[in-house]
Amino acid sequence: MKYLANVFPVTLIYVGVGVRQRGVLREGFSDKQTELAQFGRRTTPLTLPPFQIEDDEGRQHWHTLLKTIEQKLVLTEKYPGMLARDLSDYLYARSTGHFASLMALINRGCLRAIRSGHERLDEDLMNQVKNDAAAEAARKELEAAIEAGLLTTHPTSPAERRRKSA
C-alpha cells in the first residue's frame, strides 16, 4: 500500500470495522517499528459513530438523514414522511443508529418491496427483512425504550420548543 501511495497520485481509503485494531494502519511487528513507520504517519483514521437521539440536535440529524434517503428512493408508492415520520423510530431500533445497518436494512427492504409489488416501505414489509447480527442483538432493548416512551427519534417541533421556553 505504501508503494502505491508513493508511486501513483491517488488517495487510498480503507473502510471497515476495527481497521486500527486489526493492524491495517500499522507497519512492523514491534511497538518501536510502528513508531518509526511512515505508513502510520501518512494515514488519518476517521470514525463514523452511530447517530444518537438523546437530544433534539441528534434527533434532527436522524430526521434529516431519513428525509434525504427518502427523497432518493425509487419506489412507485413512496410518499413524503414514509421514512422520516412513519418509520423513524422503527428504523432507529432496527439499525441501532448505525449508518451501515440502516442502509443495508433499507436496501433490502426496497428490494423486497419491488419484488413483491408492494412498492413502499412499512413495518409489515420491513419485519420480513433480516439485518446484521449486531443490530438485531441490540434491537429489543431499543424497541422497549421507544415503546415505553423513554426514547423517540422525532425532533421537537418549533411550536413545542416555543411552548417549553415560555
Side-chain angles (χ1 to χ4, degrees):
M1 295 297 175
K2 180 179 159 186
Y3 171 78
L4 292 174
N6 285 337
V7 174
F8 297 102
V10 297
T11 299
L12 299 175
I13 300 174
Y14 306 92
V15 178
V17 176
V19 171
R20 182 181 287 155
Q21 293 86 342
R22 288 181 174 78
V24 174
L25 303 178
R26 187 176 62 227
E27 281 182 86
F29 297 107
S30 70
D31 287 339
K32 189 66 174 165
Q33 287 176 327
T34 301
E35 288 174 14
L36 301 173
Q38 294 176 6
F39 188 70
R41 301 213 181 262
R42 294 179 182 181
T43 57
T44 304
L46 303 172
T47 60
L48 181 62
F51 285 82
Q52 60 84 22
I53 57 168
E54 283 75 36
D55 58 34
D56 212 43
E57 182 181 5
R59 290 188 291 271
Q60 189 62 50
H61 288 305
W62 179 254
H63 184 75
T64 300
L65 172 66
L66 293 182
K67 283 182 10 182
T68 302
I69 294 168
E70 189 176 278
Q71 291 171 353
K72 304 295 182 191
L73 293 181
V74 184
L75 296 171
T76 59
E77 298 293 323
K78 78 173 187 176
Y79 56 90
M82 182 176 71
L83 300 183
R85 184 186 60 238
D86 296 347
L87 290 174
S88 182
D89 286 347
Y90 176 87
L91 291 171
Y92 189 85
R94 289 288 310 269
S95 68
T96 61
H98 286 84
F99 184 77
S101 299
L102 173 69
M103 293 310 297
L105 184 63
I106 290 174
N107 284 332
R108 292 171 187 158
C110 286
L111 182 61
R112 183 175 290 273
I114 292 166
R115 286 185 175 167
S116 69
H118 195 65
E119 290 292 333
R120 73 177 172 280
L121 301 180
D122 57 33
E123 280 193 44
D124 289 337
L125 180 124
M126 296 303 285
N127 281 333
Q128 300 170 39
V129 176
K130 294 185 187 292
N131 206 5
D132 63 88
E136 288 299 323
R139 173 183 179 185
K140 297 293 182 201
E141 188 176 328
L142 281 171
E143 283 177 333
I146 289 169
E147 286 176 22
L150 301 173
L151 277 178
T152 184
T153 60
H154 299 284
T156 307
S157 71
E160 288 177 273
R161 281 195 297 271
R162 283 193 300 273
R163 192 172 57 242
K164 285 181 182 179
S165 66

